[in-house]
């Protein structure tokens, strides 16, 4: 694989990111990178340009796995002896990176380890035997680095690693030492572009305002069934006396669904109190749903509810449990800060992914399972 070919691969991958964003690839990213290979002194080669591209997946907020293709061409130092030939090194492998600190931090150090294979092939003027001029050899890579996030979609990664290459396809065929193992240093930088994420927030249905009545006899001044909801907003006229109703005049359901309250990925964080920064845009839609819930509870002072949170099945059980509890807690705090007495609220309780209301096998089903609810208590 020539250098120009790998550069073309990186360019084509970046060009396809826009199309990939429209799909349901949660937590996936692409990571083109560039740097330098500082070779083992026994190789007798010069420092060379290193390029690569990886497709990665965040299995948890602290661990990512990458499949990587790498490439470098190394010129030999003693060109008069080796007839000015060079070796192409093409690598295929997997690398795991464990990130320290909170997932919301802008700077995160990490440790990495990887396994794979390197193909060594003469690409110009080689005097090696035609039958032994190329081949695949195993490699092991360890190292570390730091990652800086610019936004939810874009991050920068700087890394220093050591690569052990059990190469028996290059130096041994022109050296009496017949060495088969080398340790090279690799310094590189990468640009991460995330092309996944949570599903787009659902838009709460809007309520159409009934046509206005005669100015002197407005329906907003009338409440024929005496349920506390004027005739304009009352969608269930004729409700029996004593029945608790919602803001639309219909009997109160057992669960107040807050599904339209959409949070950003992995928000709120531990200790986060202000709900607005944790909500997906437009935040006004989510705040309107919460304010409607506050209005329902204020209209029904005898009503008690349990504040619960749920997630879909993406991620570990432990991670989803904590996430559901944090979301239930921040909704609980929003209600109490807007005048709802804590004695009327139970919880907050998180059920993680244990109580789905739909399948987790589809994007739409997972979106319905990510919800916060107020369950009425007797």
């Amino acid at each position: 694989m020539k250098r120009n070919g790998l550069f073309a691969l990186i360019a084509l991958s970046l060009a396809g990111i826009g199309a990939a964003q429209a799909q349901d690839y949660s937590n996936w990213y692409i990571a083109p990178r560039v740097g330098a290979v500082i070779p083992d002194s026994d190789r007798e080669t010069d420092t060379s340009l290193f390029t690569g591209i990886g497709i990665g997946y965040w299995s948890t907020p602290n661990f990512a796995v990458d499949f990587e293709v790498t490439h470098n061409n190394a010129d030999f130092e003693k060109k008069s002896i080796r007839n000015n030939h060079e070796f192409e090194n093409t690598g295929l492998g997997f690398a795991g990176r464990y990130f320290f600190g909170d997932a919301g931090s802008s700077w995160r150090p990490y440790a990495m380890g990887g396994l794979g294979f390197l193909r060594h092939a003469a690409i110009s003027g080689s005097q090696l035997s035609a039958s032994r001029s190329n081949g695949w050899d195993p490699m092991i890579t360890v190292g570390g680095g730091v990652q800086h996030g610019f936004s939810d979609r874009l991050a920068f990664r700087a890394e220093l690693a050591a690569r052990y290459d059990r190469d028996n396809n290059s130096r041994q065929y022109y050296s009496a030492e017949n060495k088969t193992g080398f340790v090279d240093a690799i310094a590189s930088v990468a640009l991460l572009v995330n092309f996944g994420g949570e599903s787009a927030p659902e838009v709460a249905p809007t309520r159409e305002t009934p046509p206005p009545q005669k100015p002197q006899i407005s329906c907003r001044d009338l409440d024929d069934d005496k349920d506390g909801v004027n005739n304009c907003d009352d969608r269930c006229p004729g409700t029996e006396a004593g029945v608790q109703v919602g803001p639309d005049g219909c009997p109160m359901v057992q669960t107040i669904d807050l599904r339209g309250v959409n949070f950003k990925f992995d928000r709120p964080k531990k200790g986060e109190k202000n709900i607005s920064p944790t909500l997906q845009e437009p935040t006004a839609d989510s705040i309107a749903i919460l304010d409607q819930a506050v209005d329902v509870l204020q209209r029904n002072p005898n009503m008690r509810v349990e504040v619960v949170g749920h997630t879909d099945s993406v991620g570990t059980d432990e991670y989803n449990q904590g996430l559901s509890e944090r979301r239930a807690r921040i909704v609980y705090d929003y209600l109490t800060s807007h005048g709802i007495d804590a004695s009327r609220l139970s919880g907050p309780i998180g059920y993680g992914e244990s109580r789905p209301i739909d399948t987790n096998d589809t994007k739409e089903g997972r979106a319905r399972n990510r919800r916060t609810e107020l369950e009425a208590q007797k």
Side-chain angles (χ1 to χ4, degrees):
M1 182 185 293
K2 301 291 186 179
R3 292 181 188 173
N4 291 341
L6 187 61
F7 291 153
L9 176 61
I10 295 174
L12 288 173
S13 299
L14 290 174
I17 290 173
Q21 288 178 348
Q23 304 178 40
D24 187 28
Y25 292 107
S26 179
N27 301 336
W28 287 94
Y29 62 86
I30 190 169
R33 60 174 175 151
V34 65
V37 176
I38 306 168
D40 189 316
S41 59
D42 289 337
R43 285 192 187 272
E44 299 179 2
T45 58
D46 296 327
T47 297
S48 57
L49 175 67
F50 174 86
T51 56
I53 188 167
I55 298 294
Y57 180 77
W58 290 97
S59 58
T60 74
N62 290 88
F63 188 74
V65 180
D66 292 55
F67 171 73
E68 299 180 310
V69 180
T70 63
H71 179 267
N72 73 285
N73 285 348
D75 293 324
F76 289 99
E77 295 173 343
K78 299 178 181 180
K79 296 181 180 180
S80 61
I81 298 175
R82 295 165 181 93
N83 196 25
N84 295 325
H85 70 272
E86 60 181 2
F87 258 81
E88 177 188 54
N89 297 285
T90 300
L92 295 175
F94 288 91
R97 291 176 172 85
Y98 182 83
F99 292 78
F100 301 94
D102 190 90
S105 302
S106 60
W107 289 96
R108 302 185 69 194
Y110 65 86
M112 67 84 65
L115 296 172
F117 292 90
L118 275 174
R119 179 180 181 271
H120 311 86
I123 61 175
S124 62
S126 175
Q127 292 179 337
L128 303 181
S129 167
S131 63
R132 306 299 299 275
S133 62
N134 61 74
W136 290 91
D137 298 298
M139 66 173 177
I140 300 174
T141 309
V142 294
V146 63
Q147 181 168 302
H148 175 62
F150 296 108
S151 67
D152 291 341
R153 294 283 183 186
L154 196 64
F156 169 83
R157 181 184 289 172
E159 183 173 291
L160 183 62
R163 180 180 70 191
Y164 172 75
D165 173 16
R166 194 178 183 278
D167 176 9
N168 62 3
N169 286 286
S170 58
R171 192 174 187 274
Q172 70 163 332
Y173 295 112
Y174 55 80
S175 171
E177 295 180 12
N178 200 32
K179 185 171 181 179
T180 60
F182 302 89
V183 178
D184 304 317
I186 302 175
S188 66
V189 293
L191 183 67
L192 277 69
V193 183
N194 177 24
F195 56 93
E198 296 186 350
S199 302
E202 296 181 5
V203 179
T206 58
R207 179 183 299 167
E208 295 182 0
T209 303
Q213 301 295 321
K214 295 180 180 180
Q216 66 275 19
I217 309 175
S218 173
C219 63
R220 298 192 178 279
D221 299 325
L222 302 175
D223 182 12
D224 294 339
D225 54 4
K226 309 301 180 183
D227 60 359
V229 179
N230 65 67
N231 287 357
C232 291
D233 296 334
D234 196 342
R235 296 189 178 184
C236 298
T239 304
E240 295 181 2
V243 175
Q244 290 187 343
V245 299
D248 59 355
C250 295
M252 182 70 68
V253 295
Q254 292 301 307
T255 298
I256 301 175
D257 191 352
L258 302 181
R259 181 174 17 181
V261 180
N262 297 285
F263 293 87
K264 294 179 180 176
F265 178 72
D266 195 34
R267 300 286 290 276
K269 303 296 183 183
K270 292 182 179 179
E272 196 166 19
K273 301 296 185 182
N274 186 4
I275 196 172
S276 293
T278 71
L279 298 173
Q280 288 187 357
E281 298 291 341
T283 58
D285 292 345
S286 297
I287 294 297
I289 294 173
L290 289 170
D291 289 341
Q292 187 181 54
V294 170
D295 181 68
V296 171
L297 291 171
Q298 289 175 340
R299 287 174 177 267
N300 299 274
N302 296 324
M303 185 179 185
R304 292 173 52 84
V305 295
E306 183 178 64
V307 185
V308 299
H310 305 272
T311 71
D312 61 23
S313 64
V314 177
T316 65
D317 292 346
E318 181 181 0
Y319 173 75
N320 285 336
Q321 179 62 34
L323 181 59
S324 66
E325 291 172 358
R326 292 196 300 275
R327 289 180 173 174
R329 164 56 66 181
I330 206 165
V331 170
Y332 180 100
D333 291 343
Y334 185 91
L335 296 177
T336 57
S337 68
H338 284 73
I340 304 304
D341 196 288
S343 64
R344 299 176 58 195
L345 306 177
S346 298
I349 297 176
Y351 290 110
E353 62 185 68
S354 64
R355 296 188 176 184
I357 60 173
D358 205 337
T359 177
N360 279 302
D361 295 332
T362 66
K363 177 176 65 177
E364 294 78 10
R366 290 192 296 272
R368 283 188 285 271
N369 288 333
R370 294 193 296 268
R371 66 197 192 278
T372 310
E373 297 176 338
L374 303 179
E375 297 182 355
Q377 302 294 298
K378 294 182 179 180

